[in-house]
Amino acid sequence: MRLVISLVLTSLLWASPGYAASGLVSVDVALGDVSINKVPFLMAADNGIYERNGLDIHQFVTPNAAEVARNSGVIVPPETVREDIDSAPIAVGGGSPTICRAVHTGGIDRVVLATQEGIVKSHIIGAPSIRRIEDVRGKRLGYSSTGTVTHVGLLSFARHMGWDPGTDIILVDRSNTIGAITGGRVDATMASAMLVALAPEAGLNDVVDLEQFNMPLAGSGVMAERAWLAANRDIAARFVKSAVEAVALMKQDRAAFDASLTKWFNITDAVTQTRMYAVVMDFPNKPYPSVEGISAMMEIYDSPQMRAHTAEEFYDSSFIETLDESGFLDALYE
């Protein structure tokens, strides 16, 4: 059954008018930050998944993202770092910050095609003196920048706790790194799975897992520039298909996961790799766009500009729906 579905989908992709029979379709992809959410896409490159779907993918992170990662002990290969990644037609990153920037500052207008992180899954890691959630109150909390997933997460957390940002907690931007805590810039910070895995070596505490609060988020996922998407839906479909195949591989092949961590992030410590792999099963098998997360972001960043839009403008669930209704997503895990 899996083979039949795969052949049908593959035949549809090869019949797409944008495909050149003599070669692969070359596409640049902006990976944004350095986190575990990007590992499936690195694995897709390492294990021939993109090529099998007719794609020649070039994936990049920004110099700032590479520097942030370096401050937490993760080294990114220099050939994957590029300044102008906003020009990439496909991006892998947070839907909330992308939409917020597009509405308020004229950022790239992208449509969410898939969401891997539909609720806030970040942890708060803190200095040795911070052990409980109550210890966070009155402290300096780090995040990356306004509108980002870490910012949305902190504002959602403050709302859940009934705390006032600026009074009950002090938010400090550009401080979502281990170095920001150990260097004394903040007392605690929002942390992805990668930082949570690295925190014990730095003597930091995993204070609270925010996933327990079930706060909606349009977090990390696949997005495409709106005008490009209208003209290249077949290519977008291939990329989304590659993404779900890579997540399935990640869940089923620990060795391949470790190999990509080593190759792309220079994370070779077995204990750290194991800590990171512990969250792999949280990736959804069917990553539909997080409509609740988009709506929550629009409420958090309410403004006249935001009120001029509806949540439906910012996502397209048809790519995941097609794979789901065909049985392809279920077949990946049989």
Side-chain angles (χ1 to χ4, degrees):
M1 182 64 178
R2 182 186 302 181
L3 176 61
V4 171
I5 293 170
S6 179
L7 289 173
V8 169
L9 287 171
T10 301
S11 67
L12 289 173
L13 294 175
W14 278 68
S16 300
Y19 187 82
S22 60
L24 306 176
V25 178
S26 180
V27 184
D28 285 351
V29 174
L31 290 182
D33 65 350
V34 178
S35 68
I36 195 171
N37 292 321
K38 308 306 185 298
V39 175
F41 303 92
L42 305 177
M43 293 180 66
D46 291 342
N47 294 277
I49 294 174
Y50 287 139
E51 289 83 354
R52 288 200 299 273
N53 285 300
L55 299 173
D56 176 24
I57 298 295
H58 307 277
Q59 302 179 135
F60 303 97
V61 301
T62 64
N64 180 64
E67 179 62 24
V68 168
R70 190 177 301 112
N71 288 337
S72 293
V74 177
I75 308 302
V76 180
E79 62 270 21
T80 65
V81 180
R82 199 174 80 180
E83 187 72 54
D84 61 337
I85 65 173
D86 277 349
S87 62
I90 295 176
V92 178
S96 289
T98 300
I99 295 168
C100 186
R101 284 194 297 267
V103 170
H104 289 131
T105 64
I108 304 299
D109 184 15
R110 299 190 188 275
V111 180
V112 178
L113 309 184
T115 300
Q116 296 171 326
E117 194 176 16
I119 61 173
V120 177
K121 293 186 177 182
S122 299
H123 292 214
I124 293 178
I125 59 173
S129 61
I130 300 177
R131 299 181 177 276
R132 306 172 304 158
I133 193 170
E134 294 81 3
D135 297 336
V136 173
R137 191 169 189 173
K139 299 300 191 296
R140 299 165 299 165
L141 271 67
Y143 67 99
S144 49
S145 60
T146 301
T148 59
V149 166
T150 55
H151 192 237
V152 173
L154 275 182
L155 293 178
S156 299
F157 169 65
R159 178 181 295 187
H160 174 83
M161 298 297 295
W163 294 348
D164 177 40
T167 302
D168 294 304
I169 54 175
I170 302 167
L171 306 188
V172 183
D173 69 351
R174 302 186 185 281
S175 300
N176 62 320
T177 66
I178 287 175
I181 302 176
T182 58
R185 179 172 168 79
V186 295
D187 304 295
T189 192
M190 289 286 280
S192 66
M194 183 174 292
L195 293 191
V196 173
L198 294 167
E201 277 66 40
L204 306 181
N205 293 325
D206 184 357
V207 181
V208 58
D209 178 357
L210 299 180
E211 185 173 0
Q212 64 185 292
F213 301 128
N214 201 37
M215 299 179 293
L217 173 71
S220 186
V222 177
M223 299 169 289
E225 193 276 325
R226 191 180 300 274
W228 178 90
L229 179 62
N232 296 278
R233 293 186 65 84
D234 61 316
I235 299 174
R238 279 180 239 181
F239 188 84
V240 172
K241 180 172 177 282
S242 298
V244 297
E245 288 184 34
V247 169
L249 175 64
M250 181 174 67
K251 291 183 176 185
Q252 296 161 0
D253 191 337
R254 168 65 188 274
F257 174 84
D258 290 347
S260 289
L261 282 185
T262 299
K263 175 180 177 180
W264 295 97
F265 295 157
N266 195 34
I267 295 177
T268 59
D269 177 67
V271 174
T272 301
Q273 290 176 345
T274 297
R275 289 182 186 137
M276 294 182 67
Y277 195 71
V279 304
V280 162
M281 295 304 167
D282 289 342
F283 281 68
N285 296 353
K286 300 180 179 183
Y288 281 90
S290 176
V291 181
E292 288 186 0
I294 293 173
S295 297
M297 178 277 304
M298 296 177 75
E299 182 180 345
I300 288 172
Y301 297 110
D302 182 41
S303 68
Q305 299 98 311
M306 192 67 78
R307 274 179 249 133
H309 300 276
T310 64
E312 288 71 23
E313 295 176 46
F314 298 116
Y315 71 91
D316 184 341
S317 62
S318 65
F319 297 96
I320 297 297
E321 284 177 354
T322 297
L323 293 170
D324 192 4
E325 292 172 0
S326 71
F328 181 78
L329 298 181
D330 291 325
L332 286 173
Y333 296 92
E334 290 178 353

